[in-house]
Amino acid sequence: MNAAFLSHLNLGTISKVTPVGGGDINQAFRLESSTGPVFLLLQPNHKKEFFIHEVNGLACLARFVKTPQVLRIGEWGDNAYLVLSYLAHQSQGDAFALGTALARIHQQTSPQGQFGFDESFTMGTYTADNSWQKSWSTFFVQQRLMPLRKMIRDQGLWSEELDLSFQAAIKQFERLMVDYQAQPSLLHGDLWSGNYMFGLNGEPILIDPAVFYGDREFDIGITTVFGGFSDAFYRGYQATYPLTSGYERRILFYQLYYLMFHLSQFGAGYLAQVQQKLVSINQQPNGQ
């Protein structure tokens, strides 16, 4: 790594730089400095504003759960960078407490009672429009699903048959929302298993948020797509903020969102999963 850049960070003497895996959006490194280890994120060909939403998201979540501390944010050449405190961690810990923490986060609602956030955010080539909406159905369909549909179609992966199935699913979602009172809860926004960990004392830690105010079942749906969340996690959540009847049906649409996002970013390997999810949604009778 460029010595001038490391000096620019003003973190003391850097003795070791180690690439860190586990994410797909940013380049990540652990830096061993004379002031202690830190975590460095780089995003090529972006301004520092790329990381503003993550910084704001960490501040939102830090009121309810442990998160990394923001140490530096800036630009070097064509790269945006973000420096966070490095938290010693392990893969196992108090999963019940993790569920409880997420429930407490979800109990926070937007001040004006609307869905969205004060700024949008970018994940890979996908920019999520967080413009405020009174209707969750409108927000989710128009500002999440439809932009992903366009991205996938522009990549030549969206067939007419797939679109017919998608449009039928949208109608089902809109019918479900008529009798469901979604609340604008504070969300992590990208809660897969790679975005939580546990401190050495077992304390839950959340990282890499993509926060906005939306239906809390959105986060729950994402946790179920690729697994990695234990029964204790869901028990902790339900003990603190029980989900309402019918959530199993509604989270299918949030699973669809996450699979469409992966299809848009990582290619045709996710196409079959999107197709299968649409089939599963549309096999439900009358949207019930």
Side-chain angles (χ1 to χ4, degrees), residues 178-198:
V178 171
D179 297 320
Y180 172 64
Q181 300 300 314
Q183 299 299 313
S185 296
L186 179 63
L187 305 181
H188 178 283
D190 189 22
L191 194 55
W192 69 292
S193 62
N195 283 345
Y196 78 85
M197 54 192 181
F198 298 99

Side-chain angles (χ1 to χ4, degrees), residues 115-127:
F115 301 92
F117 204 74
D118 283 338
E119 75 253 345
S120 298
F121 62 85
T122 299
M123 296 192 298
T125 60
Y126 168 64
T127 296

Side-chain angles (χ1 to χ4, degrees), residues 10-85:
N10 194 28
L11 295 168
T13 302
I14 306 296
S15 59
K16 187 176 182 181
V17 177
T18 305
V20 176
D24 300 297
I25 304 301
N26 301 302
Q27 298 175 16
F29 305 87
R30 172 174 168 153
L31 308 183
E32 302 290 346
S33 79
S34 56
T35 57
V38 299
F39 189 65
L40 169 67
L41 296 173
L42 291 177
Q43 181 60 220
N45 303 312
H46 281 83
K47 300 294 185 181
K48 67 180 181 181
E49 284 73 19
F50 178 88
F51 287 116
I52 290 296
H53 189 72
E54 180 167 352
V55 169
N56 291 337
L58 289 170
C60 288
L61 299 183
R63 294 178 290 158
F64 311 101
V65 68
K66 191 173 185 64
T67 63
Q69 179 183 356
V70 176
L71 302 177
R72 306 278 192 281
I73 181 172
E75 299 166 17
W76 181 260
D78 294 330
N79 299 325
Y81 66 81
L82 176 65
V83 181
L84 304 171
S85 60

Side-chain angles (χ1 to χ4, degrees), residues 223-242:
T223 68
T224 65
V225 174
F226 300 123
F229 292 82
S230 69
D231 289 343
F233 164 79
Y234 296 106
R235 290 199 305 271
Y237 187 94
Q238 293 278 41
T240 307
Y241 192 13

Side-chain angles (χ1 to χ4, degrees), residues 199-216:
L200 299 183
N201 63 353
E203 178 185 15
I205 299 168
L206 288 180
I207 62 173
D208 293 347
V211 302
F212 66 99
Y213 289 95
D215 179 14
R216 64 190 177 116

